[in-house]
Amino acid sequence: MTAPAQEKTLFTEAELTALGTRAFVGLGLPEADAADVARVLVLADLFGLSTHGLSRIESYGDRLQVQGINARARVATQTVAPALRLVDGDNGVGPLVGMHALRAAMEAAESCGVGVAFARGSNHFGPISPYGLIAAQAGFASIIGSNATTTIAPWGGSDARLGNSPLGFGVPNPGGDPFLLDMAMSVVARAKIRNAFKRGEAIPDTWATDAGGRPTTDPKAALDGFLLPIGGHKGYGLALLVDMFAGVLSNAAYLTHVKSWVDAPDEPQNLGHFFILIDTRRLGSTQWLADRMNDFAAILHDSPPTDPKQPVIVPGEIELRKMARQRQEGIALDAATVALLRQHAAKAPA
């Protein structure tokens, strides 16, 4: 472990996973549950998604300490049909509930060829790509989504009524890189606007509106306003669909029923997630899928780029390259996150 410039600390994956697990144990989680949470967040850091990695120890930790999240959640899974599972997260940490739901959907898909898990009683569960990667490595194609705190106005509306709900897709490639698409329903994440505000920079007027619903280049006005959905009214419709699956069908909160973890950190959010998995091994041999996936990628890669410095890529390639590089060179974490992890880890039983 070394401390290079810019107050960053380098960790191996094993070191960071151990520290993250111990930090969540220090916050009251049983060790197995803490390991689930750390696994998802460390994968996020490996992908370069630092805003959704172990830096979440701050927001998760704050809510655990005021009992807005249940540190000793008893996550329960109910089988309601051969391929269908309902998961009650008992207001547990989001990545813990997410991992339970992923495993439930994997078990159902292994048995039936297709598996679906709907989770309720959850919280922010990190980015989708870690779950998609875990599923792909086990041979499952996936469609995964979650709802979120309201930050987007309905199309034509002037107040926040729906969340910036993430949606992701994954397709395995035996012996190669899987296809991984992980996206939110807004043009950009709110964190990008916060970062622009901290740097004193203007933002494009396509990112957000002010409190009156007017497009703005002022990040402060945007933070007081609403995020704009991708693709205009089409993105609005897609965001609603994600919330219907994640919120309505899972029996979780939805739309304005989702509480803000910022405004009410001590109250359960009751977020919902959905995991739809397909066992690709039922469709053909691993060689069959590998050949088709590699040909699929090659067709795209062979397109002459408009900028020679930016060749055509397939979704997931950037994140997987970052993961490979950081596994070799180390994962860099900022000083504040490292200090907080160590502070909570110090409270864990010896």
Side-chain angles (χ1 to χ4, degrees):
M1 205 160 37
T2 59
Q6 300 177 341
E7 296 187 347
K8 297 265 186 177
T9 303
L10 282 179
F11 293 86
T12 66
E13 183 179 359
E15 287 173 335
L16 195 54
T17 301
L19 178 59
T21 300
R22 192 149 183 79
F24 280 101
V25 170
L27 283 163
L29 273 68
E31 187 161 358
D33 292 357
D36 267 347
V37 175
R39 183 181 185 188
V40 173
L41 299 184
V42 169
L43 278 173
D45 280 315
L46 280 166
F47 284 151
L49 307 173
S50 58
T51 57
H52 286 56
L54 278 171
S55 65
R56 286 283 167 168
I57 190 75
E58 180 178 7
S59 57
Y60 293 3
D62 286 349
R63 296 195 62 219
L64 282 162
Q65 289 174 310
V66 298
Q67 299 181 337
I69 296 176
N70 182 5
R72 313 295 288 189
R74 295 181 177 273
V75 182
T77 301
Q78 178 185 6
T79 299
V80 294
L84 189 58
R85 305 287 187 271
L86 298 181
V87 177
D88 185 339
D90 193 28
N91 194 32
V93 182
L96 168 65
V97 182
M99 285 300 297
H100 274 266
L102 175 61
R103 286 191 289 261
M106 288 170 68
E107 182 215 9
E110 197 160 17
S111 172
C112 300
V114 176
V116 181
F118 291 104
R120 65 178 297 275
S122 188
N123 293 280
H124 181 278
F125 78 158
I128 288 174
S129 47
Y131 303 103
L133 177 64
I134 294 168
Q137 289 175 331
F140 300 101
S142 61
I143 305 173
I144 301 169
S146 174
N147 59 8
T149 303
T150 55
T151 53
I152 298 176
W155 192 248
S158 60
D159 61 353
R161 299 273 170 144
L162 65 150
N164 188 17
S165 302
L167 176 65
F169 301 82
V171 181
N173 180 5
D177 287 341
F179 174 99
L180 294 174
L181 176 62
D182 182 353
M183 63 181 190
M185 295 297 104
S186 63
V187 177
V188 297
R190 196 172 180 84
K192 281 197 173 182
I193 299 175
R194 279 197 298 268
N195 290 340
F197 174 66
K198 290 176 183 176
R199 293 191 300 265
E201 298 173 356
I203 60 172
D205 65 2
T206 55
W207 284 11
T209 70
D210 62 19
R214 297 174 291 271
T216 182
T217 60
D218 179 357
K220 175 62 170 67
L223 291 171
D224 292 334
F226 317 107
L227 297 173
L228 283 169
I230 55 173
H233 66 282
K234 295 179 182 179
Y236 164 60
L238 190 56
L240 294 182
L241 180 64
V242 174
D243 204 348
M244 284 184 180
F245 272 63
V248 175
L249 296 184
S250 70
N251 200 30
Y254 52 86
L255 297 178
T256 55
H257 294 308
V258 175
K259 293 186 183 297
S260 167
W261 63 268
V262 175
D263 297 335
D266 59 338
E267 296 184 35
Q269 282 193 286
N270 191 19
L271 288 188
H273 322 306
F274 65 87
F275 292 76
I276 303 172
L277 300 189
I278 300 165
D279 187 350
T280 60
R281 294 162 295 192
R282 302 291 189 99
L283 304 175
S285 69
T286 54
Q287 189 60 54
W288 164 84
L289 182 57
D291 289 345
R292 292 179 67 81
M293 288 295 290
N294 291 334
D295 180 58
F296 190 98
I299 291 171
L300 298 173
H301 289 153
D302 287 346
S303 176
T306 55
D307 180 352
K309 295 179 181 178
Q310 295 184 323
V312 174
I313 61 170
V314 176
E317 287 182 349
I318 291 175
E319 291 81 1
L320 291 168
R321 286 171 190 163
K322 286 180 180 176
M323 180 173 71
R325 186 175 68 251
Q326 291 200 97
R327 278 179 166 164
Q328 194 168 43
E329 299 175 358
I331 309 166
L333 247 62
D334 65 86
T337 298
V338 173
L340 202 50
L341 286 167
R342 288 174 172 160
Q343 176 186 324
H344 290 308
K347 296 180 289 188

